[in-house]
Each structure stands twice: as C-alpha cells, then as structure tokens.
Amino acid sequence: MAQGPPRTIRQVVGVVALAVAVTAFLSVAAVRHGFFDLKVYYGALTWWLHDGGEIYDFLKPGTQYGFTYPPFAALVMLPMAYLPWSAAIAVSVAASVVASAVLFWWLVDPISRRSGWTRWFALAVALCLAAAYEPMRETVNFGQVNMLLLFLVAIDLLRLLPGGNRWAGVGIGLATAIKLTPGIFIVYLLVTRRWRAAVTSMATAAGVTLLAAALFPDASREFWTEALWNTGRVGELAFVSNQSLRGVVARLNPEHPSTLAWLVLVVATLLLWAWRSRAAVAAGDEATGLALTGAVMCLVSPVTWVHHLVWLLPGLILLVDNGMAAATGSRRRRVLLGAAIVGYGFLISRIVWAWEKDFTGVDGFLGSNTYVWISLALLAFLPIRRWAAPAGSAALGWRRPGQPPRDPAYRSSTSPTGGRPPASGTG
C-alpha cells in the first residue's frame, strides 16, 4: 500500500510530460487543415437543406471537392446543418476522441493487465501517442469520420461476434452504408464463413440505404448513377497522400497509370489477405482479423489518403501486444516491439511528403510509398496468436477482454516454441 501513491504520482507526472512533449511535437509537425473536409460536409448539407440545392451538385468554393459519401451518410450527418459551425467542429472532434478512447481501451487494456501496468496509465499513454500519429491528427484536423467507422466495425469484431451475439454485423453494415470501403469487412465475414453475421451486415447496409433512398430519392439517384463514378471529385491518384497500391502504380507513370498492373497487385494482395484472415479466425484471433482487413482495405482501395491509415492502428497495437506476450529478453520480443516502434515512427514523421513534388527515381519510389510498405508488412507478417486445441477438436473461440483463457497452451502461429499465455485480452 505504501508504494501506491508514489507510483501514481510518477505516472501522473509521466503522462503530463508525455502530453507536453506531444503538444510540442504537434506544434512543429502538425499541418493545420482548418477542418477542410468538415467544411465540405457542412457546406453541402447547408446547401441541400437550407438553400434548395442538390447535395451532390455542391462543390466547396474554389475547389473540385464535393460530398462523396452515400445518401445514408447525409442522413446521419443531417443534424450538422442545424448547428453553428463552431458546434459542428466540437461535435466532430469529441466524437473522434470518444470513439478512439473506447477502441484503445479494448485493445490496450489486455496489454496493461498482462504487463501489470495501471490501466488508466496505459490508456493515457496510448491516447497521447495516438495524438502524434499522422493519420489520427489528419483525421481530426480534416474533420473526417475515419475513427467513427473503425469504431463501428470494432464493435462487431471485438465485442459482438466473439460472443455469438445475433446483432453482430450491424456495425459493419452501418459503416458500409456511410462509406463504401468498409464493405471489405462484409467480404471478410464471407471469406471466414460467418454466414449469419455476413447476412446481418448486408441486410443492415441494404436496409438503411433503401431508407435513405425512400427519404431522398433524387439524391440517391444522383449518387448511384453519377456522383459515385465521378473520380475527379476525390483528387489525383498520383498525389503522394494516396497511400494505396493504386497510388504506387500511378506514381510510376502519372500520365498513363497501368490499370492491369494495379489489378494484378490487388488480386495478389487479396489472396494473401484471405489466407491470413482464415488462419486468424481458425485460431480464434478476431483482433488480428480486424487488423489484417483494415490493412488490406487501405491497400486495395483506389484512393487511401493518409488520414485513412487510422485503420493501421489495431495492427500497430497488436504488434506491441504480441511483443509484450513474448518471453522477456527474447529475440521475438525485440523484433516485434522494434517493428512497432519503427512503424509508428514513420507514421508520425510525414516522411512521404518529402517526395510531394518529385517522386521519381529509386528514392522517390521507396520514400513516397513508405506507408504502403508498412501496410504490406502488417498484412504479411502481423503474428496470428492462437490457443492450441487437442487434435481433431474445433478451434477455440476468441476470448473477450477479461475472460480467462480456456486452455493454457497458448502459442503464436509465427513462433514454433510459442509464447507465454496472456492473463486476458484480445488473444
């Protein structure tokens, strides 16, 4: 008991010092975008609701950017049009912060329990580090919805699906109806043969899309027949912020990017993802399934702006989780924690922007696609952790946070000698 207060004081001082350091870093490294994307949403909704225009006809003055999300997203965001601009900013920031805090609690709490860390301290450190993470700060500075979509998907994969909840799939369906790219998680459910959750997600996405169509028939018709196919509304494919495979190919030849080369890369990437995802689910490792699918979504999407790379956060956290679960002083621990540090270091550095104007040459190819290489590394090498089951028995299910292990024979699929079993966590 005597050690309690001094430890707490040290932790409070440590968190305050880290927060000050991150603030100083952001004052130098962070780019102020003035909630650019939020202004697009806010302007489009105001134009639609109060000025009598069509939402997909709106372009932010002086730009080519307009509202690019499906009509259900417009329905969800509609209350924003009744708020003052400052209140819309406050709601956007608060929503991202709260969603991030809950998601980090789910992913970081197992590490803190296993390592004997104070749980609030681990969460506070994670949030401070996340504030410096370029995709996170871009998400907040642009007023983007990325963390909210990741949160909806994580509800399904980390909370509902492991327990067999009949509502599993609703979050993925809603995320897909808000922005089409999370639909890859419906494919994930199909590839891993969780049929009920897949049907639930598809029914949810279809249901709310039809609801939006019934309420806004003109907007729905324009989106599905015109706006969806107008790629000029989202920006240049070769722009260095596009950290997808399509961006890699476009930067090789901006004038005539090879669609065939891109499709070959996409097919190969999807095959690797399907194989690894099925292995993760067979092992009961739903958290790694989330991380792998987030990484492949960033890779195969035609446009993955830097702020979309918040989907790599689960993979980075799981690298730490796997590293801390390995034996103290082992090579495995050093490699995994080192990989997490290196990946995080690059993803706070804005390194790709050094090639914003000129991405030619070998250095341009390697440097301007740095975040793509990190996504590929996570997809290919993120460890799959499993619970060993007796021969012939079904794979053991993924454990909910806090649930005791069902079998002490925990091991990692990437380690022949295995690691020590965690006391609790995402497995």
Side-chain angles (χ1 to χ4, degrees):
M1 295 295 292
Q3 294 181 352
R7 183 190 187 193
T8 300
I9 292 172
R10 289 195 302 272
Q11 290 175 335
V12 171
V13 171
V15 169
V16 171
L18 179 59
V20 170
V22 168
T23 301
F25 172 77
L26 294 177
S27 69
V28 175
V31 176
R32 307 296 191 271
H33 298 292
F35 300 96
F36 182 94
D37 289 359
L38 189 64
K39 284 180 181 177
V40 173
Y41 310 152
Y42 189 83
L45 290 167
T46 301
W47 162 265
W48 186 37
L49 190 64
H50 300 302
D51 299 333
E54 284 295 337
I55 188 169
Y56 295 107
D57 292 339
F58 173 85
L59 294 177
K60 187 178 183 297
T63 76
Q64 62 182 353
Y65 298 105
F67 195 85
T68 58
Y69 294 167
F72 178 67
L75 176 61
V76 173
M77 296 181 186
L78 199 57
M80 184 191 307
Y82 295 98
L83 296 176
W85 171 238
S86 57
I89 293 175
V91 170
S92 172
V93 173
S96 289
V97 170
V98 170
S100 301
V102 176
L103 176 64
F104 289 171
W105 177 262
W106 292 341
L107 292 172
V108 173
D109 188 53
I111 307 175
S112 63
R113 285 172 174 265
R114 183 187 310 113
S115 303
W117 301 340
T118 306
R119 297 164 75 187
W120 72 264
F121 174 73
L123 178 62
V125 169
L127 289 172
C128 286
L129 295 177
Y133 183 72
E134 184 181 358
M136 177 69 80
R137 65 187 193 239
E138 295 275 285
T139 286
V140 174
N141 283 333
F142 273 116
Q144 264 285 342
V145 299
N146 304 307
M147 286 308 301
L148 303 179
L149 299 179
L150 176 52
F151 176 67
L152 284 173
V153 171
I155 290 175
D156 275 346
L157 297 191
L158 301 184
R159 312 305 292 184
L160 300 182
L161 194 60
N165 192 295
R166 64 177 180 174
W167 295 104
V170 170
I172 292 172
L174 291 174
T176 301
I178 292 171
K179 187 175 182 178
L180 299 180
T181 48
I184 188 68
F185 285 92
I186 298 179
V187 182
Y188 167 73
L189 294 175
L190 293 171
V191 166
T192 55
R193 300 179 182 179
R194 268 76 65 79
W195 310 118
R196 185 172 70 177
V199 170
T200 299
S201 62
M202 288 187 285
T204 300
V208 296
T209 298
L210 290 174
L211 172 63
L215 294 173
F216 316 125
D218 292 338
S220 295
R221 186 182 308 109
E222 184 171 358
F223 175 79
W224 294 109
T225 61
E226 295 182 29
L228 175 62
W229 314 105
N230 184 1
T231 57
R233 295 165 65 93
V234 297
E236 293 293 329
L237 292 175
F239 184 42
V240 75
S241 183
N242 184 13
Q243 291 292 303
S244 69
L245 293 173
R246 185 64 159 156
V248 173
V249 172
R251 282 186 285 278
L252 288 174
N253 187 352
E255 297 297 326
H256 303 286
S258 172
T259 299
L260 177 60
W262 173 59
L263 290 175
V264 169
L265 290 173
V266 165
V267 170
T269 302
L270 287 173
L271 289 174
L272 173 62
W273 162 73
W275 171 60
R276 298 215 72 213
S277 294
R278 286 176 61 86
V281 170
D285 191 355
E286 206 72 67
T288 296
L290 166 64
L292 294 174
T293 308
V296 83
M297 183 180 73
C298 294
L299 289 166
V300 303
S301 174
V303 175
T304 298
W305 302 134
V306 168
H307 56 77
H308 295 147
L309 297 175
V310 295
W311 290 91
L312 300 186
L313 278 169
L316 292 175
I317 294 173
L318 288 173
L319 276 179
V320 176
D321 195 355
N322 280 275
M324 295 303 297
T328 303
S330 65
R331 181 176 180 273
R332 176 180 175 80
R333 173 177 278 211
R334 292 194 300 271
V335 168
L336 291 175
L337 294 182
I341 292 170
V342 170
Y344 173 78
F346 277 125
L347 282 162
I348 69 172
S349 68
R350 286 183 54 83
I351 188 172
V352 298
W353 298 99
W355 290 272
E356 180 181 3
K357 302 300 184 182
D358 182 8
F359 37 74
T360 59
V362 175
D363 66 312
F365 175 72
L366 296 176
S368 69
N369 300 309
T370 298
Y371 301 163
V372 178
W373 312 141
I374 295 173
S375 298
L376 283 169
L378 286 172
L379 177 62
F381 301 113
L382 183 65
I384 295 171
R385 294 161 58 175
R386 67 180 73 240
W387 293 86
S393 65
L396 294 173
W398 180 85
R399 294 172 297 112
R400 299 175 183 169
Q403 180 180 336
R406 299 161 101 177
D407 189 314
Y410 163 80
R411 59 186 173 88
S412 167
S413 65
T414 61
S415 173
T417 58
R420 57 185 177 87
S424 64
T426 56

